[in-house]
Amino acid sequence: KNQVEQSPQSLIILEGKNCTLQCNYTVSPFSNLRWYKQDTGRGPVSLTIMTFSENTKSNGRYTATLDADTKQSSLHITASQLSDSASYICVVSFNDYKLSFGAGTTVTVRA
Amino acid sequence: DTEVTQTPKHLVMGMTNKKSLKCEQHMGHRAMYWYKQKAKKPPELMFVYSYEKLSINESVPSRFSPECPNSSLLNLHLHALQPEDSALYLCASSQDTTDTQYFGPGTRLTVL
């Protein structure tokens, strides 16, 4: 069964601090892995996309890593801002258009 | 233009009403999608259009009827919905079905 598991389910951090979100997957065959940011009641916004051969990808203060051997990915947020408060979703692509979504990690940044 | 737009933002309808959701993109993408998302759950794929033709219907009830009038537009026609159909409906598009999907802001649908 194709699964994507994220941890933690939620976390609270102080503004300016860093945090790391985890994603483990059992999706096969693997095509690519994407991290999306979704604000409440809004559509997901793509942050990064990585293929099998890529180990790390950055987008501003967001850095994603991928270990295709262990089927693990992480998203690191540096110097968090209040606007980073959102749900972060790990999405693994397999078999053309099919996406397997994680349940997301809800991040709350407090001043 | 690098965004997917959806209208309306919010929609409230009765179970006997007929309404439509609209989605538009001007990125030249040839694949477009409809997803349904319940609160605190990941999006669930409903339909996939590729080159203006319906390629995937994920066993969606016939009270949801998609339409792709041209390569930039995607509609979702709603008729005789149930209260459990209340959700956030997301449209997405991609260059083709293997590329990154760009999501619209969604339409929040409430069925009374």
Side-chain angles (χ1 to χ4, degrees):
Chain A
K1 182 180 178 182
N2 291 317
Q3 287 188 313
V4 178
E5 295 184 353
Q6 293 187 240
S7 62
Q9 187 175 28
S10 63
L11 65 92
I12 300 173
I13 58 173
L14 293 178
E15 187 177 16
K17 298 297 185 182
N18 304 335
C19 67
T20 300
L21 316 179
Q22 300 291 339
C23 173
N24 297 334
Y25 62 93
T26 58
V27 175
S28 181
F30 174 87
S31 180
N32 57 60
L33 184 147
R34 312 163 197 194
W35 283 94
Y36 283 88
K37 176 186 179 185
Q38 185 173 23
D39 294 311
T40 301
R42 306 284 292 176
V45 174
S46 178
L47 296 176
T48 64
I49 178 170
M50 289 182 291
T51 59
F52 185 88
S53 60
E54 295 177 294
N55 300 119
T56 186
K57 184 72 70 76
S58 291
N59 178 359
R61 294 179 297 101
Y62 301 102
T63 299
T65 65
L66 174 65
D67 185 334
D69 293 330
T70 61
K71 299 189 176 181
Q72 296 179 326
S73 177
S74 67
L75 180 69
H76 187 75
I77 305 176
T78 302
S80 61
Q81 301 177 357
L82 296 177
S83 59
D84 292 331
S85 295
S87 180
Y88 291 84
I89 306 171
C90 176
V91 183
V92 180
S93 177
F94 65 103
N95 285 344
D96 196 17
Y97 65 90
K98 285 189 178 290
L99 304 181
S100 189
F101 289 81
T105 293
T106 301
V107 174
T108 302
V109 181
R110 291 194 173 152
Chain B
D1 190 350
T2 59
E3 66 174 344
V4 177
T5 60
Q6 290 187 241
T7 56
K9 291 184 179 180
H10 303 277
L11 178 62
V12 179
M13 60 186 292
M15 290 188 286
T16 58
N17 293 156
K18 285 185 179 181
K19 297 288 184 181
S20 296
L21 308 184
K22 295 184 185 300
C23 173
E24 190 167 3
Q25 57 86 16
H26 295 287
M27 295 179 278
H29 289 173
R30 305 316 300 264
M32 297 185 77
Y33 314 78
W34 279 115
Y35 287 86
K36 172 184 178 181
Q37 186 177 25
K38 302 286 272 185
K40 299 187 185 300
K41 297 288 187 181
E44 298 174 4
L45 182 65
M46 299 173 72
F47 303 103
V48 179
Y49 271 82
S50 180
Y51 289 83
E52 302 167 47
K53 295 191 183 304
L54 181 65
S55 59
I56 299 295
N57 176 340
E58 293 285 342
S59 301
V60 179
S62 60
R63 58 185 184 269
F64 295 92
S65 175
E67 177 197 18
C68 190
N70 60 57
S71 61
S72 299
L73 293 175
L74 186 65
N75 298 322
L76 185 63
H77 302 297
L78 314 172
H79 175 56
L81 295 193
Q82 303 297 311
E84 58 265 29
D85 296 323
S86 298
L88 180 68
Y89 286 84
L90 295 167
C91 173
S93 72
S94 59
Q95 189 63 44
D96 64 40
T97 54
T98 61
D99 285 334
T100 297
Q101 294 180 25
Y102 294 84
F103 286 84
T107 293
R108 173 67 62 186
L109 174 68
T110 302
V111 182
L112 301 177

